[in-house]
Structure formats: structure tokens, C-alpha cells
Amino acid sequence: AQKVTQAQTEISVVEKEDVTLDCVYETRDTTYYLFWYKQPPSGELVFLIRRNSFDEQNEISGRYSWNFQKSTSSFNFTITASQVVDSAVYFCALSDIKGGNQFYFGTGTSLTVIP
Amino acid sequence: NAGVTQTPKFQVLKTGQSMTLQCAQDMNHEYMSWYRQDPGMGLRLIHYSVGAGITDQGEVPNGYNVSRSTTEDFPLRLLSAAPSQTSVYFCASSYRGGAEADTQYFGPGTRLTVL
């Protein structure tokens, strides 16, 4: 069965610190997608990244970077030089592309960046 | 492009009442889904649709009905509201294929309280 675990429930960092959010997933599928979404205090869900299971290249987008390791079934998210605007709940998700794009979400990590 | 829209934004119901949460998208996405978000549990799939006329159950379908008569609309019906259905409801849509395949875009959410 598909499962996503975000073991860090809450994290607090001081502005300009780097922070890594962990995501571990379980699936028997060989083809799947992994995602990160941001949910700021306003409540909407903002898409950040999609990663194909066949592409293990790390990705960097500005202050954000993602480390995908199939060997450990992990898809970790790092924010460099954190800012107050990064304060949000971050969700990792796994998609079951055989079953009509069902998403399996982790329980989220609440990040607070202290000025 | 309005993206994914949901109405209403807030709703208070009494136990036993019924109502319909509306969801519409203007991106010509094949896939549409409904999720509920509860504290500490992430987002859980209620129902989903892979195209007009086709729907299926997700992880937590009990007490909810859906239909999909057009590509654009995917309403969620609460048949007889219960306090356990107090939650934030998100609608999402995605393409079936192509470069953005399976990336779900979410509506702003409906906050429902059942008294």
C-alpha cells in the first residue's frame, strides 16, 4: 500500500538558517510521482515540485532544493537562508498513477521561521 | 484562467442537513478529486473522477456522493451531515498526460462546520 511519512510535525528556525524537511514514502509501484505542496496560513495549497520516479536528479529552484533518493525512498526538501514568508505547512505526496491519479499525502510539517 | 474554484468558502450546517459543495475548473483537466483536511491527518481522498461520467471512491467516501456530468464541474454532496464531517474540503484537478501529467492544482477550500 502507498504511504507517505513526514516524521517532523513542527520545526522552528531562526531567519536565514537552512532547514530540511523529511519525506519518506512506501510504494510497490515502479512508476510514480512525488510532490511537495506548501500551505501558507491563508490556507491554499501551492504546488512546489513534481518528481518522476525515474528521475533521481536533484533539483534546485532559487532557495529551494530537493533531494530524491530511491535507495532510501526519500524525497527531502531543503530551504536555504529561510525567510519569514517560508512559514507554512509543507506536504509531501505520492501519486498512484495507475488508479486515476490518487494522491497519498503525508501529515505535513509545520515550519515557523522566527525573525 | 480562474483555475479551480470552490463555493462556498464557509458553511455551517446542522446535523442531518444536506448540502452540495461546488467545484469547477476551466483548464480542461480530465482528473478531478475531492479531499478533506483534518488536523494532524494531512489530506485524505474522498472521491475522484477520471473523466465526465466516471467516478470512484477514495479512502474516506462514506457520507458523500459525487457525479461528473461535465468536464468542468465536480460537485460533492453531503447526504446527511454529521459532526464528524466538520473539516476543510479541497477540490483538485489535473491533466491525465503530458508534461504536467498528474500535477494536481487545488481550489481555495471550503471550511465546513457541522453542529
Side-chain angles (χ1 to χ4, degrees):
Chain A
Q2 278 80 353
K3 185 180 178 182
V4 175
T5 302
Q6 294 180 257
Q8 304 152 308
T9 306
E10 295 181 3
I11 300 176
S12 290
V13 298
V14 176
E15 200 171 20
K16 296 183 184 174
E17 284 184 348
D18 300 345
V19 58
T20 295
L21 309 182
D22 298 331
C23 173
V24 174
Y25 63 93
E26 296 175 29
T27 180
R28 291 183 180 175
D29 294 336
T30 55
T31 303
Y32 51 89
Y33 292 114
L34 293 163
F35 301 82
W36 276 95
Y37 285 84
K38 174 182 180 180
Q39 187 175 43
S42 51
E44 73 271 25
L45 283 154
V46 179
F47 164 71
L48 294 178
I49 189 170
R50 163 184 174 269
R51 173 62 73 216
N52 185 307
S53 56
F54 294 113
D55 182 2
E56 287 192 70
Q57 278 193 339
N58 292 333
E59 177 140 350
I60 298 174
S61 176
R63 295 183 298 106
Y64 295 171
S65 62
W66 290 268
N67 181 265
F68 176 33
Q69 292 194 338
K70 275 180 98 167
S71 60
T72 56
S73 296
S74 65
F75 186 42
N76 297 337
F77 173 30
T78 297
I79 301 174
T80 303
S82 59
Q83 300 177 0
V84 172
V85 293
D86 296 326
S87 295
V89 180
Y90 292 86
F91 290 98
C92 181
L94 168 71
S95 80
D96 175 359
I97 55 180
K98 290 198 311 266
N101 194 24
Q102 297 184 56
F103 268 31
Y104 299 87
F105 280 87
T107 51
T109 297
S110 178
L111 174 66
T112 301
V113 181
I114 303 165
Chain B
N1 252 0
V4 181
T5 59
Q6 291 182 237
T7 56
K9 282 195 148 181
F10 302 93
Q11 183 70 49
V12 179
L13 293 177
K14 294 182 180 177
T15 296
Q17 288 185 318
S18 62
M19 80 157 294
T20 299
L21 278 61
Q22 301 292 345
C23 174
Q25 53 91 10
D26 61 359
M27 297 175 282
N28 204 31
H29 285 171
E30 297 95 335
Y31 290 161
M32 295 187 75
S33 309
W34 277 101
Y35 295 84
R36 59 177 289 173
Q37 182 179 20
D38 301 295
M41 302 193 72
L43 282 85
R44 294 180 293 168
L45 182 66
I46 304 171
H47 285 284
Y48 66 97
S49 169
V50 299
I54 307 169
T55 64
D56 206 345
Q57 297 180 351
E59 181 184 355
V60 289
N62 292 341
Y64 307 95
N65 262 0
V66 291
S67 61
R68 187 132 177 240
S69 55
T70 66
T71 300
E72 295 78 18
D73 300 300
F74 191 43
L76 178 71
R77 297 182 190 82
L78 279 70
L79 308 173
S80 177
S84 60
Q85 293 179 304
T86 294
S87 188
V88 181
Y89 291 85
F90 287 97
C91 179
S93 71
S94 64
Y95 285 115
R96 184 170 184 174
E100 288 190 24
D102 302 329
T103 300
Q104 296 206 30
Y105 294 95
F106 287 82
T110 294
R111 187 174 294 273
L112 175 68
T113 302
V114 183
L115 303 175

